[in-house]
């Protein structure tokens, strides 16, 4: 399924493909984080690495999107950021932490966002992500599963939008 995505070729993504493709994205983000400059402060825990590797489970509070890149000749790029955030319903609580990773290769890009709310706060509702740029035309949500997933999305990211897309969850970016 990845080969046609890298070329930008339309391909059906079946519900059975979603967990495998999600696991591949998470594994790739974990590898990118491990190779990153900040060796001492890693976001993903050893138990999460093991769970993804063995296929037991996926980390909690993970969100994954697929995007289409307009010019597949652009060099592959990876971008990652550590995040802090506050929940609007709990403004006085300690901030949570998060991690985002965006990778593009060929006509394919993925973006992963993983959030860890403060330990005392376990919101029951899924977070709502604001995206004033209208990213939904450029992406397909892969996880949590939101079938049907179609490839490619209706619009493709050019170089400038890809740069903005990679930083969309970074406060002040």
């Amino acid at each position: 399924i990845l080969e046609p995505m890298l070329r930008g070729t339309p391909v059906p993504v079946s519900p059975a493909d979603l967990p495998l493709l999600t696991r591949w994205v998470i594994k790739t983000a974990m590898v990118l984080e491990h190779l990153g400059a900040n060796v001492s402060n890693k976001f993903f825990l050893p138990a999460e690495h093991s769970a993804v590797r063995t296929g037991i489970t996926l980390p909690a509070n993970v969100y994954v999107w697929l995007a289409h890149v307009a010019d597949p000749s652009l060099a592959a790029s990876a971008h990652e950021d550590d995040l802090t955030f506050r929940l609007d319903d709990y403004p006085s609580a300690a901030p949570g932490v998060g991690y985002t990773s965006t990778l593009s290769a060929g006509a394919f890009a993925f973006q992963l966002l993983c959030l860890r709310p403060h330990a005392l706060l376990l919101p029951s509702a899924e977070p709502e992500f604001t995206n004033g740029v209208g990213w939904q035309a450029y992406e397909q949500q892969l996880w949590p599963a939101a079938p049907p997933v179609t490839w490619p999305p209706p619009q493709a990211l050019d170089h400038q939008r890809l740069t903005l897309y990679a930083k969309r969850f970074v406060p002040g970016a």
Side-chain angles (χ1 to χ4, degrees):
I1 191 166
L2 281 175
E3 184 179 340
M5 289 178 155
L6 290 167
R7 291 191 315 263
T9 305
V11 61
V13 182
S14 74
D17 294 329
L18 298 178
L20 180 64
L21 192 52
T22 300
R23 193 171 307 286
W24 180 85
V25 167
I26 294 171
K27 179 268 311 170
T28 303
M30 287 177 166
V31 169
L32 291 172
E33 181 196 33
H34 184 73
L35 296 174
N38 192 353
V39 176
S40 63
N41 189 21
K42 298 300 179 192
F43 182 81
F44 290 105
L45 305 172
E48 291 170 323
H49 283 267
S50 179
V52 169
R53 185 178 61 254
T54 59
I56 295 172
T57 187
L58 299 173
N61 297 313
V62 170
Y63 306 87
V64 177
W65 298 270
L66 303 179
H68 183 214
V69 178
D71 183 359
S73 67
L74 288 173
S77 65
H79 184 85
E80 58 181 325
D81 281 295
D82 294 321
L83 308 171
T84 58
F85 67 94
R86 294 195 180 276
L87 300 171
D88 291 341
D89 293 340
Y90 305 95
S92 62
V97 294
Y99 173 80
T100 182
S101 178
T102 305
L103 173 75
S104 68
F108 172 77
F110 75 72
Q111 187 167 67
L112 171 138
L113 174 67
C114 189
L115 303 173
R116 288 206 172 91
H118 185 275
L120 298 177
L121 304 176
L122 299 173
S124 58
E126 290 289 314
E128 291 183 24
F129 302 110
T130 57
N131 53 21
V133 178
W135 295 117
Q136 58 272 26
Y138 298 91
E139 67 184 7
Q140 288 283 308
Q141 184 172 334
L142 179 63
W143 197 261
V149 174
T150 57
W151 179 261
Q155 295 186 27
L157 299 166
D158 60 18
H159 179 70
Q160 181 180 7
R161 281 202 190 266
L162 179 60
T163 302
L164 291 170
Y165 187 70
K167 299 293 263 178
R168 71 178 173 157
F169 294 116
V170 179

